[in-house]
Amino acid sequence: MNAPLRVRRKTVVADGVVTLELAGGGRVKDWTPGSHLDLVLPTGLTRQYSLCGDRWDSGHYRIGVLREPGGRGGSAYVHDELDVGDEVGVGGPRNNFPLVPSPEYLFVAGGIGITPLLPMVHQAELLGARWRLLYGGRHRASMAFLDDLEAHGDRVLVRPQDEHGLLDLAGFLGEPRPDVKIYACGPAPLLDAIERVCAPWPPYTLRTERFVADAGEPARSTPFEVELVRSGLRVTVPPSASVLDAVAEAGVEVLSSCRQGTCGTCETAVLAGRPEHRDAILEDHERAAADRMFVCVSRSLSDRLVLDL
Ligand code: FES
């Protein structure tokens, strides 16, 4: 955990969306487009928010927070209680959604999913890459940062659902072709749809960031064993417990934050066995390598996993 920061500015930027500027006494840590920050609220809740400010301004971070009525209280606290001058704990930044070099980028944002894509747009612009952005939301007033994006003219397609209906993903992306990277962030139905549309594109073209891991039922309903090589322990993980909780019970603490398979904090090296990946972070080829897992949500396909713990 880093030194706490203070809320320097809080701004309503759209219906249900505020931005916070967080600053300490000096430089904040460097970050790259796609990074998120762990915000540790005075209530003890920890939440992850994408950085959406100017990475070259090292004096503060900026995050965007959507009020989520059905959420677990983090966004409500930020909207209703957190004020300018208040102190918050921070962890990170950490990047599970890095922008890889490409001559052309296609960005697709749904709602608050615009936040990690804003710095990517700026980076693509700086690098002189070709890029376009398709940005959807429920209605125009709920869509943050439209002013910032206006300067980019017709490279940005703003498509509120009440004016245009569902996003025309196939029309925006065009024919499958090499030398393009597609970055998408938004609600699960949008990301599921773009995964379907991108199926014929070359492997690794699409990279998505999900707000929640949605892996369905675990593959096995029976206990499995984890062998912790550095601790010299064998721990049985019952169907009712996560690997994280089972090893903690045995006295081995793994750092965690979101406990939902989205932040990356609990990443653990796998030395043998086949993990069942249930996170929202790893790409398919990273999953196939079976050399690491996020123990807050991921489980095991094999009877035994050997972990570097
Ligand atoms: S604690 Fe966030 S991915 Fe495991």
Side-chain angles (χ1 to χ4, degrees), residues 226-228 231-238 241-254 309:
V226 287
E227 185 179 333
L228 314 180
S231 322
L233 291 173
R234 284 169 190 259
V235 177
T236 299
V237 183
S242 65
V243 175
L244 181 76
D245 288 337
V247 301
E249 183 86 355
V252 177
E253 292 293 340
V254 179
L309 289 174

mmCIF file of all heavy atoms in Angstrom, residues 226-228 231-238 241-254 309:
data_model
loop_
_atom_site.group_PDB
_atom_site.id
_atom_site.type_symbol
_atom_site.label_atom_id
_atom_site.label_comp_id
_atom_site.label_asym_id
_atom_site.label_seq_id
_atom_site.Cartn_x
_atom_site.Cartn_y
_atom_site.Cartn_z
ATOM 1 N N VAL A 226 -3.859 -28.221 -2.800
ATOM 2 C CA VAL A 226 -2.793 -27.331 -3.265
ATOM 3 C C VAL A 226 -1.548 -27.589 -2.419
ATOM 4 O O VAL A 226 -1.624 -27.671 -1.196
ATOM 5 C CB VAL A 226 -3.182 -25.832 -3.220
ATOM 6 C CG1 VAL A 226 -4.167 -25.487 -4.305
ATOM 7 C CG2 VAL A 226 -3.713 -25.415 -1.882
ATOM 8 N N GLU A 227 -0.441 -27.739 -3.125
ATOM 9 C CA GLU A 227 0.837 -27.926 -2.442
ATOM 10 C C GLU A 227 1.578 -26.594 -2.499
ATOM 11 O O GLU A 227 1.756 -26.026 -3.581
ATOM 12 C CB GLU A 227 1.632 -29.022 -3.168
ATOM 13 C CG GLU A 227 2.909 -29.371 -2.467
ATOM 14 C CD GLU A 227 3.652 -30.474 -3.213
ATOM 15 O OE1 GLU A 227 3.004 -31.285 -3.922
ATOM 16 O OE2 GLU A 227 4.893 -30.497 -3.098
ATOM 17 N N LEU A 228 1.972 -26.092 -1.347
ATOM 18 C CA LEU A 228 2.623 -24.786 -1.270
ATOM 19 C C LEU A 228 4.114 -25.036 -1.070
ATOM 20 O O LEU A 228 4.552 -25.384 0.034
ATOM 21 C CB LEU A 228 2.035 -23.962 -0.117
ATOM 22 C CG LEU A 228 0.491 -23.958 -0.039
ATOM 23 C CD1 LEU A 228 0.023 -23.109 1.137
ATOM 24 C CD2 LEU A 228 -0.120 -23.468 -1.341
ATOM 25 N N SER A 231 6.208 -22.898 1.554
ATOM 26 C CA SER A 231 5.789 -23.082 2.945
ATOM 27 C C SER A 231 5.874 -24.538 3.375
ATOM 28 O O SER A 231 5.736 -24.841 4.572
ATOM 29 C CB SER A 231 4.342 -22.623 3.127
ATOM 30 O OG SER A 231 4.075 -21.494 2.367
ATOM 31 N N GLY A 232 6.017 -25.451 2.399
ATOM 32 C CA GLY A 232 6.068 -26.873 2.722
ATOM 33 C C GLY A 232 4.739 -27.401 3.253
ATOM 34 O O GLY A 232 4.718 -28.275 4.120
ATOM 35 N N LEU A 233 3.623 -26.873 2.753
ATOM 36 C CA LEU A 233 2.305 -27.279 3.256
ATOM 37 C C LEU A 233 1.470 -27.897 2.144
ATOM 38 O O LEU A 233 1.653 -27.560 0.963
ATOM 39 C CB LEU A 233 1.545 -26.053 3.795
ATOM 40 C CG LEU A 233 2.048 -25.393 5.065
ATOM 41 C CD1 LEU A 233 1.270 -24.100 5.325
ATOM 42 C CD2 LEU A 233 1.886 -26.348 6.243
ATOM 43 N N ARG A 234 0.563 -28.752 2.536
ATOM 44 C CA ARG A 234 -0.474 -29.256 1.617
ATOM 45 C C ARG A 234 -1.810 -28.853 2.205
ATOM 46 O O ARG A 234 -2.067 -29.107 3.387
ATOM 47 C CB ARG A 234 -0.422 -30.776 1.506
ATOM 48 C CG ARG A 234 0.714 -31.262 0.657
ATOM 49 C CD ARG A 234 0.882 -32.763 0.802
ATOM 50 N NE ARG A 234 2.109 -33.184 0.164
ATOM 51 C CZ ARG A 234 2.160 -33.753 -1.040
ATOM 52 N NH1 ARG A 234 1.041 -33.977 -1.692
ATOM 53 N NH2 ARG A 234 3.317 -34.097 -1.577
ATOM 54 N N VAL A 235 -2.636 -28.229 1.372
ATOM 55 C CA VAL A 235 -3.909 -27.698 1.862
ATOM 56 C C VAL A 235 -5.031 -28.245 0.987
ATOM 57 O O VAL A 235 -4.916 -28.227 -0.247
ATOM 58 C CB VAL A 235 -3.911 -26.149 1.803
ATOM 59 C CG1 VAL A 235 -5.253 -25.584 2.235
ATOM 60 C CG2 VAL A 235 -2.784 -25.578 2.649
ATOM 61 N N THR A 236 -6.096 -28.711 1.607
ATOM 62 C CA THR A 236 -7.256 -29.161 0.838
ATOM 63 C C THR A 236 -8.211 -27.989 0.661
ATOM 64 O O THR A 236 -8.529 -27.291 1.627
ATOM 65 C CB THR A 236 -7.970 -30.310 1.570
ATOM 66 O OG1 THR A 236 -7.043 -31.379 1.690
ATOM 67 C CG2 THR A 236 -9.191 -30.788 0.784
ATOM 68 N N VAL A 237 -8.630 -27.768 -0.587
ATOM 69 C CA VAL A 237 -9.556 -26.665 -0.869
ATOM 70 C C VAL A 237 -10.938 -27.276 -1.106
ATOM 71 O O VAL A 237 -11.167 -27.941 -2.120
ATOM 72 C CB VAL A 237 -9.126 -25.869 -2.121
ATOM 73 C CG1 VAL A 237 -10.062 -24.693 -2.352
ATOM 74 C CG2 VAL A 237 -7.677 -25.409 -1.995
ATOM 75 N N PRO A 238 -11.878 -27.056 -0.184
ATOM 76 C CA PRO A 238 -13.225 -27.609 -0.385
ATOM 77 C C PRO A 238 -13.991 -26.771 -1.412
ATOM 78 O O PRO A 238 -13.613 -25.624 -1.674
ATOM 79 C CB PRO A 238 -13.855 -27.469 1.006
ATOM 80 C CG PRO A 238 -13.133 -26.330 1.644
ATOM 81 C CD PRO A 238 -11.747 -26.294 1.058
ATOM 82 N N ALA A 241 -14.813 -23.063 -0.503
ATOM 83 C CA ALA A 241 -13.809 -22.026 -0.182
ATOM 84 C C ALA A 241 -12.960 -21.704 -1.403
ATOM 85 O O ALA A 241 -12.774 -22.544 -2.291
ATOM 86 C CB ALA A 241 -12.908 -22.511 0.940
ATOM 87 N N SER A 242 -12.444 -20.477 -1.444
ATOM 88 C CA SER A 242 -11.494 -20.111 -2.492
ATOM 89 C C SER A 242 -10.119 -20.629 -2.092
ATOM 90 O O SER A 242 -9.863 -20.924 -0.907
ATOM 91 C CB SER A 242 -11.445 -18.594 -2.645
ATOM 92 O OG SER A 242 -10.928 -18.019 -1.465
ATOM 93 N N VAL A 243 -9.227 -20.705 -3.071
ATOM 94 C CA VAL A 243 -7.842 -21.084 -2.756
ATOM 95 C C VAL A 243 -7.262 -20.049 -1.792
ATOM 96 O O VAL A 243 -6.577 -20.387 -0.819
ATOM 97 C CB VAL A 243 -6.995 -21.164 -4.052
ATOM 98 C CG1 VAL A 243 -5.529 -21.424 -3.714
ATOM 99 C CG2 VAL A 243 -7.534 -22.242 -4.985
ATOM 100 N N LEU A 244 -7.582 -18.776 -2.060
ATOM 101 C CA LEU A 244 -7.084 -17.689 -1.202
ATOM 102 C C LEU A 244 -7.466 -17.922 0.254
ATOM 103 O O LEU A 244 -6.627 -17.826 1.162
ATOM 104 C CB LEU A 244 -7.680 -16.361 -1.703
ATOM 105 C CG LEU A 244 -7.274 -15.100 -0.978
ATOM 106 C CD1 LEU A 244 -5.862 -14.692 -1.381
ATOM 107 C CD2 LEU A 244 -8.225 -13.958 -1.300
ATOM 108 N N ASP A 245 -8.731 -18.232 0.493
ATOM 109 C CA ASP A 245 -9.200 -18.419 1.874
ATOM 110 C C ASP A 245 -8.639 -19.705 2.482
ATOM 111 O O ASP A 245 -8.295 -19.740 3.660
ATOM 112 C CB ASP A 245 -10.732 -18.444 1.920
ATOM 113 C CG ASP A 245 -11.314 -17.060 1.669
ATOM 114 O OD1 ASP A 245 -10.586 -16.070 1.895
ATOM 115 O OD2 ASP A 245 -12.473 -16.967 1.237
ATOM 116 N N ALA A 246 -8.556 -20.760 1.659
ATOM 117 C CA ALA A 246 -8.074 -22.043 2.199
ATOM 118 C C ALA A 246 -6.614 -21.932 2.630
ATOM 119 O O ALA A 246 -6.237 -22.440 3.691
ATOM 120 C CB ALA A 246 -8.249 -23.144 1.157
ATOM 121 N N VAL A 247 -5.789 -21.239 1.832
ATOM 122 C CA VAL A 247 -4.374 -21.145 2.231
ATOM 123 C C VAL A 247 -4.222 -20.166 3.398
ATOM 124 O O VAL A 247 -3.355 -20.348 4.258
ATOM 125 C CB VAL A 247 -3.424 -20.798 1.046
ATOM 126 C CG1 VAL A 247 -3.532 -21.838 -0.054
ATOM 127 C CG2 VAL A 247 -3.649 -19.407 0.504
ATOM 128 N N ALA A 248 -5.071 -19.150 3.457
ATOM 129 C CA ALA A 248 -5.023 -18.212 4.596
ATOM 130 C C ALA A 248 -5.351 -18.955 5.890
ATOM 131 O O ALA A 248 -4.725 -18.749 6.926
ATOM 132 C CB ALA A 248 -5.992 -17.054 4.373
ATOM 133 N N GLU A 249 -6.328 -19.845 5.791
ATOM 134 C CA GLU A 249 -6.726 -20.668 6.939
ATOM 135 C C GLU A 249 -5.538 -21.484 7.447
ATOM 136 O O GLU A 249 -5.384 -21.729 8.637
ATOM 137 C CB GLU A 249 -7.853 -21.593 6.466
ATOM 138 C CG GLU A 249 -8.451 -22.472 7.499
ATOM 139 C CD GLU A 249 -9.580 -21.759 8.286
ATOM 140 O OE1 GLU A 249 -9.821 -20.563 8.081
ATOM 141 O OE2 GLU A 249 -10.165 -22.438 9.078
ATOM 142 N N ALA A 250 -4.671 -21.886 6.495
ATOM 143 C CA ALA A 250 -3.490 -22.681 6.867
ATOM 144 C C ALA A 250 -2.327 -21.779 7.274
ATOM 145 O O ALA A 250 -1.216 -22.268 7.507
ATOM 146 C CB ALA A 250 -3.095 -23.565 5.686
ATOM 147 N N GLY A 251 -2.546 -20.461 7.299
ATOM 148 C CA GLY A 251 -1.514 -19.545 7.786
ATOM 149 C C GLY A 251 -0.684 -18.889 6.702
ATOM 150 O O GLY A 251 0.309 -18.231 6.988
ATOM 151 N N VAL A 252 -1.070 -19.071 5.420
ATOM 152 C CA VAL A 252 -0.298 -18.452 4.326
ATOM 153 C C VAL A 252 -1.133 -17.317 3.728
ATOM 154 O O VAL A 252 -2.147 -17.561 3.068
ATOM 155 C CB VAL A 252 0.056 -19.503 3.243
ATOM 156 C CG1 VAL A 252 0.798 -18.856 2.084
ATOM 157 C CG2 VAL A 252 0.885 -20.618 3.860
ATOM 158 N N GLU A 253 -0.705 -16.105 3.985
ATOM 159 C CA GLU A 253 -1.465 -14.944 3.512
ATOM 160 C C GLU A 253 -1.012 -14.572 2.098
ATOM 161 O O GLU A 253 0.179 -14.446 1.837
ATOM 162 C CB GLU A 253 -1.231 -13.735 4.434
ATOM 163 C CG GLU A 253 -1.826 -13.891 5.812
ATOM 164 C CD GLU A 253 -3.351 -13.912 5.816
ATOM 165 O OE1 GLU A 253 -3.961 -13.436 4.842
ATOM 166 O OE2 GLU A 253 -3.915 -14.437 6.798
ATOM 167 N N VAL A 254 -1.966 -14.394 1.211
ATOM 168 C CA VAL A 254 -1.679 -13.877 -0.132
ATOM 169 C C VAL A 254 -2.342 -12.510 -0.206
ATOM 170 O O VAL A 254 -3.511 -12.367 0.176
ATOM 171 C CB VAL A 254 -2.267 -14.805 -1.225
ATOM 172 C CG1 VAL A 254 -1.989 -14.241 -2.614
ATOM 173 C CG2 VAL A 254 -1.704 -16.206 -1.093
ATOM 174 N N LEU A 309 4.042 -20.707 -3.226
ATOM 175 C CA LEU A 309 3.655 -19.992 -1.989
ATOM 176 C C LEU A 309 4.345 -20.620 -0.789
ATOM 177 O O LEU A 309 4.572 -21.834 -0.787
ATOM 178 C CB LEU A 309 2.139 -20.061 -1.776
ATOM 179 C CG LEU A 309 1.256 -19.249 -2.719
ATOM 180 C CD1 LEU A 309 -0.214 -19.554 -2.448
ATOM 181 C CD2 LEU A 309 1.510 -17.751 -2.557
#
